[in-house]
Amino acid sequence: MKVLFITFMLIQSVFLQAEDGHDLWLRAKSTSPLNVICLKKSPTIGIALQELEKGWQGKDGAKIVLVLKNNKEIRNDGFKISPDGIQANTDLGILYGVYELLRCQQTGEPVEEMICNPSYGARVLDHWDNPDGSIERGYAGRSIFWRQGENSLAVTQNDKTLWKEYARANASIGINGAVLNNVNASPLILSKEYMERVKVIAEVLRPYGIKTYLSVKFSSPSLIGGLKTSDPLSADVIKWWKDKVQEIYSMIPDFGGFLVKASSEGQPGPQDYGRTHADGANMLADALKPFGGIVMWRAFVYSPTDLDRAKQAYTEFMPLDGQFRDNVIIQVKNGPVDFQPREPFSPLFGAMKKTSVMPEFQITQEYLGQAIHLVFLATMWEECLKSETYQEGEGSTVAHCTDGSIYPRKYTAIAGVSNIGLDINWCGHPFAQANWYAFGRLAWNNSLTSEKIADEWIKLTFSQVPSGQALFTLFSTEWTEHFLLPVRQMMLQSRDAAINYMMPLGFHHLFSANEHYGPGPWWAPARVRPDWTPPYYHKADTNGVGFDRTYSGSDAVSQYHEPLGSQFNELKTCPDRYLLWFHHLPWDYKMKSGRILWDEICYNYETGLQQVREFQKTWDKVEAYVDTARFTLVQSKLRTQCRDAQVWKDACLLYFQKFSHMPVPYDIEQPVYDLNYLIENDMKRR
Ligand code: GCU
């Protein structure tokens, strides 16, 4: 038996070439020639032809027809696909159709005749990259766009090659926009020297249908324009932005527009001049309008408060509904606080009925183990998109309230904060690539399931590709049973596991310090404002734990449309997953499971830890199906994740135990660390 196994492993390792992950989900090589007929010529069509040649897995000598033809059923850059070819209204539609056709072939799905239209008009990656090449909340190396040092703005051939690969990967999943710099924007980005580089980036991205956007600092007119003010109602300021926008479009005719973080976390904004968010956003929108540009104005605003940070965006933006120009889109994070492992959806979704609202997801796992933990985020985004807002009765999900289907809008959009850097595999963790992939797929089609996305990604990323053999012939029953299914299961459970070992039952923001990696429910230095510390959120004391957001508490529940508001307010109907988000409860509160709250908390942490131990086993068992380079990298990251999960469990249980004064149930594994040790050795990201 052992000999057989070793022989099998040997065959496999001859078969599996080491992979550094740089090719992402685009690894397939053509197996046969084909005959493509297309009357149109353009750089984008040229790419479509190349892709067909490179990745074709269909019949030898097959004929494929690419037709540009006005079809009213096809919207924007959508397409109609059939086994014989692709029809679209635009060149980019043809390219998207080609990627879809190849994806079907490469994942072994039949190509059926159908029309595919994108859910959102703008499907954008937000890069939090700084001009010096560092990345805010970036965990996969430095920026692919910016760098430090002498000649840092000179464009090299390597830069261009990388940007082209980046554009190709994005186009293959339908992403059509990139914000090239951090929302905490440096005013430098609008200077002549930086704009020259932006122009070249835009040129490389253009044939792939990726529009370039920039984050701008609201006080740029005073910081780099020499004006005395940046007041959005000042004639000089208005003129400054108009001229700046004109200059940008003279360099980049298809420039997408601006992303703005204003009056938030110390960033300047219209409120500094006694103006509203609408005054600020509209001023920029007016400058962009003649060129077709948009403003993505962020609703991530909060000022230091003892009340409830979770309520602030809604309180500030709702009164402004209807006051924004039609080329302003309010960009709203999925939850009301900040990309926590689990939050209820932001109550702004669906509530702003006269304003375009776009979801902002975070692909980079700032609060979910960064590039170390294996956490597949499609399930989190699916949960948000499919949440019922009840704003227009049943079916008014977050997805439908934002994609134009309920409230028709001129512009619709969705953004994901990128997890891409200079690491050879782009994202640090091989499985973090799945989050980039998932964001693109959901932005294109917001009704896809996480299961389908995981399935596609695994097949494209881990199929074994001996040259000259059709890819999907390898999706044998054996491969499916022993690799695809267990790995898919692991991915689909992974976010749930992270919630369990970090912040179950509605806990949020239990992180130590500003690093947002390890646990620190105790962390509250006097110099730090309270709403940046965990005790503000968990409110643990000897009476109980949790944030009271009920009618008699902060009343955040009232920001949700009925019946949700009362559902969250009532203990009987509030889902366990949001319990401590909305309620402060005694440690011996009787849960629906029959256990008391303290025990339930303990079991949840234990479950999370055990789930990661299972992931380790799952991964070790699939060794024969993965090349050594990627196998060992994931294996080692899972080891760290297990240790971290243990630390999370012990830190949270031992800390909360100081208030509950109850034992950790004896039938689960007892903590292995001492609390003092954990406090003294605050777990740093490794
Ligand atoms: C989080 C993150 C910051 C970021 C901010 C934002 O708070 O920690 O680094 O700037 O979100 O989205 O603006």
Side-chain angles (χ1 to χ4, degrees):
M1 188 61 201
K2 198 165 175 194
V3 175
L4 267 180
F5 184 68
I6 291 169
T7 320
F8 173 66
M9 298 276 285
L10 277 176
I11 296 171
Q12 292 279 321
S13 51
V14 173
F15 195 66
L16 301 176
Q17 286 170 8
E19 294 196 41
D20 59 18
H22 194 69
D23 290 340
L24 295 160
W25 46 86
L26 294 161
R27 300 152 59 247
K29 305 266 182 314
S30 174
T31 52
S32 44
L34 84 161
N35 189 1
V36 187
I37 298 171
C38 180
L39 298 180
K40 173 93 190 277
K41 277 204 175 112
S42 75
T44 304
I45 295 288
I47 295 170
L49 300 180
Q50 264 175 28
E51 292 290 6
L52 280 170
E53 244 171 63
K54 267 199 273 190
W56 183 254
Q57 310 282 314
K59 279 205 200 97
D60 212 359
K63 189 169 104 184
I64 285 291
V65 189
L66 309 179
V67 192
L68 275 144
K69 186 165 146 195
N70 252 344
N71 178 335
K72 289 223 165 62
E73 286 175 291
I74 303 175
R75 282 187 284 112
N76 305 322
D77 296 318
F79 54 85
K80 181 170 172 186
I81 187 171
S82 74
D84 311 322
I86 289 142
Q87 203 191 91
N89 298 335
T90 63
D91 295 7
L92 190 54
I94 295 284
L95 179 61
Y96 287 152
V98 162
Y99 282 124
E100 177 67 24
L101 180 68
L102 294 175
R103 179 168 30 247
C104 289
Q105 291 184 343
Q106 294 167 11
T107 55
E109 277 176 36
V111 179
E112 279 157 19
E113 184 164 314
M114 62 176 168
I115 289 181
C116 300
N117 285 317
S119 297
Y120 296 94
R123 304 173 295 277
V124 184
L125 278 191
D126 290 356
H127 292 264
W128 286 358
D129 296 15
N130 298 309
D132 68 358
S134 61
I135 304 182
E136 177 144 355
R137 312 303 177 185
Y139 311 105
R142 295 179 69 82
S143 170
I144 62 168
F145 298 118
W146 312 105
R147 65 174 154 258
Q148 218 165 15
E150 243 174 86
N151 283 332
S152 61
L153 291 173
V155 175
T156 65
Q157 195 47 50
N158 280 351
D159 287 334
K160 286 194 181 174
T161 305
L162 193 67
W163 298 338
K164 191 168 157 184
E165 289 167 347
Y166 161 83
R168 177 181 179 227
N170 276 336
S172 77
I173 49 176
I175 288 172
N176 68 355
V179 181
L180 304 184
N181 62 315
N182 192 355
V183 283
N184 297 316
S186 160
L188 269 187
I189 201 77
L190 293 175
S191 65
K192 190 89 191 126
E193 307 79 70
Y194 278 85
M195 282 307 304
E196 286 296 341
R197 191 171 168 92
V198 173
K199 176 174 185 261
V200 183
I201 299 173
E203 280 161 6
V204 178
L205 306 191
R206 183 168 300 125
Y208 287 89
I210 319 284
K211 276 194 185 190
T212 298
Y213 299 76
L214 292 175
S215 294
V216 294
K217 197 170 192 85
F218 198 75
S219 53
S220 297
S222 3
L223 291 176
I224 57 163
L227 302 191
K228 286 210 181 66
T229 175
S230 295
D231 179 349
L233 301 193
S234 136
D236 289 345
V237 171
I238 294 171
K239 179 167 182 325
W240 189 87
W241 281 109
K242 278 206 164 132
D243 292 348
K244 186 46 84 182
V245 166
Q246 198 144 27
E247 182 192 328
I248 297 176
Y249 278 91
S250 71
M251 298 171 82
I252 307 166
D254 58 347
F255 181 69
F258 294 144
L259 171 63
V260 192
K261 171 174 177 178
S263 304
S264 156
E265 294 187 334
Q267 290 300 321
Q271 290 167 347
D272 302 345
Y273 311 93
R275 315 296 182 195
T276 66
H277 284 288
D279 295 329
N282 290 342
M283 180 269 295
L284 294 174
D286 290 342
L288 288 158
K289 182 130 190 157
F291 306 95
I294 60 169
V295 175
M296 295 175 281
W297 188 271
R298 296 177 86 228
F300 179 66
V301 295
Y302 64 100
S303 34
T305 176
D306 291 335
L307 301 170
D308 185 1
R309 168 174 165 186
K311 286 180 67 179
Q312 290 194 51
Y314 183 98
T315 310
E316 215 164 306
F317 275 84
M318 277 309 284
L320 301 174
D321 191 19
Q323 293 184 27
F324 293 96
R325 303 281 191 267
D326 66 359
N327 59 333
V328 173
I329 314 184
I330 304 301
Q331 181 167 311
V332 178
K333 289 188 180 182
N334 55 281
V337 171
D338 190 7
F339 299 138
Q340 295 303 294
R342 173 170 271 146
E343 299 186 35
F345 68 88
S346 161
L348 278 171
F349 291 119
M352 291 190 87
K353 297 186 196 303
K354 295 180 230 136
T355 310
S356 266
V357 172
M358 61 188 283
E360 176 179 352
F361 294 147
Q362 199 190 42
I363 308 170
T364 192
Q365 298 160 235
E366 175 182 353
Y367 295 101
L368 281 140
Q370 303 175 1
I372 295 176
H373 295 196
L374 188 162
V375 184
F376 180 52
L377 298 174
T379 48
M380 169 164 169
W381 303 330
E382 188 184 353
E383 178 179 294
C384 174
L385 289 166
K386 294 191 175 155
S387 292
E388 281 285 0
T389 70
Y390 294 103
Q391 289 286 349
E392 304 292 333
E394 247 167 74
S396 38
T397 56
V398 170
H400 293 146
C401 289
T402 52
D403 65 10
S405 54
I406 292 187
Y407 309 115
R409 307 279 189 226
K410 185 156 176 207
Y411 297 99
T412 58
I414 185 164
V417 180
S418 146
N419 62 350
I420 297 162
L422 279 178
D423 275 7
I424 188 73
N425 69 9
W426 302 88
C427 304
H429 196 308
F431 277 79
Q433 296 179 350
N435 292 330
W436 178 7
Y437 183 85
F439 171 74
R441 298 290 287 136
L442 280 171
W444 179 271
N445 179 352
N446 61 14
S447 64
L448 282 182
T449 63
S450 306
E451 186 172 312
K452 159 111 173 74
I453 298 171
D455 208 86
E456 285 177 10
W457 180 80
I458 296 169
K459 286 176 175 169
L460 298 170
T461 306
F462 289 110
S463 53
Q464 301 153 12
V465 209
S467 54
Q469 191 169 346
L471 207 75
F472 63 85
T473 56
L474 285 166
F475 300 145
S476 60
T477 324
E478 201 252 357
W479 187 83
T480 305
E481 264 177 36
H482 296 280
F483 185 77
L484 176 71
L485 295 181
V487 172
R488 188 177 75 188
Q489 172 87 337
M490 168 173 79
M491 289 171 75
L492 292 175
Q493 280 182 0
S494 58
R495 184 230 174 188
D496 204 44
I499 294 171
N500 287 332
Y501 65 74
M502 288 183 176
M503 285 169 236
L505 299 168
F507 273 129
H508 48 293
H509 233 305
L510 301 184
F511 297 94
S512 160
N514 185 35
E515 217 187 20
H516 299 166
Y517 183 73
W522 53 81
W523 189 77
R527 65 188 153 78
V528 177
R529 52 190 255 202
D531 60 341
W532 284 350
T533 70
Y536 172 94
Y537 297 96
H538 62 64
K539 304 215 183 297
D541 55 25
T542 45
N543 297 323
V545 64
F547 200 124
D548 183 0
R549 297 190 164 105
T550 63
Y551 299 146
S552 51
S554 82
D555 195 29
V557 289
S558 294
Q559 294 183 337
Y560 290 90
H561 197 282
E562 282 303 309
L564 268 190
S566 29
Q567 217 176 79
F568 292 150
N569 185 65
E570 299 299 324
L571 277 170
K572 268 204 300 271
T573 46
C574 182
D576 279 358
R577 62 183 182 280
Y578 301 135
L579 199 63
L580 302 174
W581 182 281
F582 288 115
H583 296 270
H584 185 83
L585 296 169
W587 296 104
D588 62 355
Y589 168 76
K590 195 81 178 277
M591 302 285 296
K592 294 185 190 94
S593 65
R595 294 184 184 128
I596 57 165
L597 175 61
W598 166 252
D599 287 354
E600 191 78 22
I601 292 173
C602 295
Y603 283 109
N604 270 270
Y605 277 101
E606 174 65 7
T607 303
L609 172 59
Q610 293 310 328
Q611 282 173 300
V612 189
R613 302 306 306 243
E614 284 305 313
F615 298 164
Q616 255 194 313
K617 293 182 202 158
T618 300
W619 190 249
D620 282 350
K621 272 192 244 165
V622 302
E623 181 168 5
Y625 302 92
V626 189
D627 57 285
T628 317
R630 290 186 298 173
F631 176 78
T632 47
L633 182 57
V634 173
Q635 186 184 48
S636 135
K637 283 179 185 278
L638 277 169
R639 286 186 184 136
T640 311
Q641 187 173 355
C642 280
R643 292 194 298 274
D644 290 350
Q646 179 82 54
V647 168
W648 267 98
K649 172 188 153 192
D650 292 3
C652 294
L653 294 189
L654 293 173
Y655 171 76
F656 289 128
Q657 193 175 41
K658 291 200 316 181
F659 303 101
S660 78
H661 301 298
M662 293 181 187
V664 172
Y666 300 117
D667 61 340
I668 66 175
E669 284 176 16
Q670 298 297 299
V672 297
Y673 292 102
D674 286 324
L675 183 59
N676 284 343
Y677 171 83
L678 292 173
I679 293 175
E680 278 158 27
N681 297 279
D682 236 347
M683 184 173 62
K684 289 275 180 284
R685 193 176 165 268
R686 276 144 293 157

